Amino acid sequence: LKPKTEWNSLPFLTLPDGSVIGQSRAIARYVGKLTKLYPEDPLTAARVDAIMDACEDLQSAVNNAGKGMEKSEKEKARAAEVSTGKAASLLKKLEAFIEKYGKDGHAVGDTFTLADIYILCYGFLIFQSGFFDGVPTDTLKTWPKIQAVQKLTANHSQVQARFEAENSKNPLFKKMAAARTFEH
């Protein structure tokens, strides 16, 4: 499948007219624009993009910590990464960014955007799901702004409907749906 895609990678989105969009952030922005979750204002959109990029940087930092090490050493490296390493620094910057640009539980501005969805999903995958060995599942307990975004987003009616629709099919959604209060 990958060799047949434009970028030789996944994911890709095939539209009803047969057009194909590749690359995850391009897909996210496209769908975000269709659903009004991607801001029209260029500065606000840039702030949403910054959070999307920061979330991917967080995942890379955690994923790369301990790469090639034995399991116990990798777990120690990842625990250190999220407590004192680059990931910890990124969490601090993300918390400050939300403080500066977010409002009422939103990451940017005072309405739902892709930034809120990214914080919910990446935060859960990286720090709360147990997917990454060695990352304490309570890592976000000291980041109240991040938690507020997660909680508000997880309890949005359309997000809840998505949890319910996917709950029986995807084990990660089952875990996320069970943890949707996002309180530590």
Side-chain angles (χ1 to χ4, degrees):
L1 190 62
K2 284 184 183 182
K4 295 180 180 181
T5 66
E6 191 167 36
W7 299 102
N8 292 352
S9 65
L10 298 174
F12 64 89
L13 175 66
T14 303
L15 303 177
D17 71 358
S19 299
V20 177
I21 301 171
Q23 300 295 349
S24 59
R25 281 181 280 178
I27 294 167
R29 283 190 290 271
Y30 176 80
V31 172
K33 288 174 184 177
L34 291 178
T35 59
K36 308 289 187 218
L37 290 174
Y38 191 78
E40 289 183 23
D41 173 68
L43 181 57
T44 306
R47 290 181 177 140
V48 168
D49 287 341
I51 285 183
M52 292 167 65
D53 292 346
C55 287
E56 291 194 11
D57 289 349
L58 273 166
Q59 183 175 351
S60 292
V62 171
N63 191 47
N64 290 333
K67 203 172 222 174
M69 294 179 180
E70 293 296 321
K71 185 177 180 180
S72 63
E73 292 303 310
K74 176 171 60 175
E75 289 173 352
K76 287 177 191 172
R78 284 186 174 160
E81 179 63 33
V82 300
S83 63
T84 60
K86 179 180 179 182
S89 175
L90 285 167
L91 284 170
K92 183 177 182 179
K93 290 174 188 291
L94 182 58
E95 184 80 3
F97 193 92
I98 296 167
E99 173 71 33
K100 186 172 184 177
Y101 299 113
K103 185 177 179 187
D104 300 330
H106 298 287
V108 176
D110 61 358
T111 60
F112 280 105
T113 66
L114 279 177
D116 301 311
I117 301 291
Y118 262 63
I119 288 172
L120 171 65
C121 295
Y122 275 79
F124 182 78
L125 173 66
I126 300 166
F127 302 107
Q128 295 157 307
S129 69
F131 181 81
F132 287 101
D133 296 335
V135 175
T137 56
D138 66 350
T139 297
L140 298 180
K141 72 181 177 188
T142 57
W143 307 107
K145 297 292 182 186
I146 295 170
Q147 286 186 77
V149 171
Q150 282 192 305
K151 185 175 181 180
L152 185 67
T153 306
N155 287 293
H156 187 280
S157 61
Q158 290 177 315
V159 174
Q160 293 250 340
R162 183 68 180 168
F163 284 151
E164 297 307 319
E166 291 291 334
N167 194 17
S168 63
K169 301 174 193 168
N170 183 320
L172 193 56
F173 270 91
K174 272 187 176 184
K175 239 181 164 174
M176 190 182 263
R180 65 178 156 219
T181 60
F182 291 92
E183 292 175 354
H184 296 281

